[in-house]
Amino acid sequence: DHAGRLVAPDEGAHPDMESDAVGDDLGEDGGGYTAEERAMRVEEE
């Protein structure tokens, strides 16, 4: 599966205090996937 636009839980509004990379998948942007988004994949652990 593709991952769409990844956004931090606070949408980048505050300093990052989390040591892990955390984000929510908001799906594709209105114009479709960018090259970077198309390269991202969701894999089960």
Side-chain angles (χ1 to χ4, degrees):
D1 292 328
H2 285 287
R5 210 165 14 118
L6 301 176
V7 179
D10 66 358
E11 298 182 6
H14 305 286
D16 190 6
M17 304 304 284
E18 175 70 44
S19 61
D20 294 327
V22 178
D24 296 316
D25 181 0
L26 298 182
E28 67 179 69
D29 200 358
Y33 290 111
T34 64
E36 293 83 1
E37 290 168 344
R38 192 169 303 283
M40 297 296 292
R41 299 284 188 266
V42 177
E43 295 185 8
E44 297 294 325
E45 290 189 37

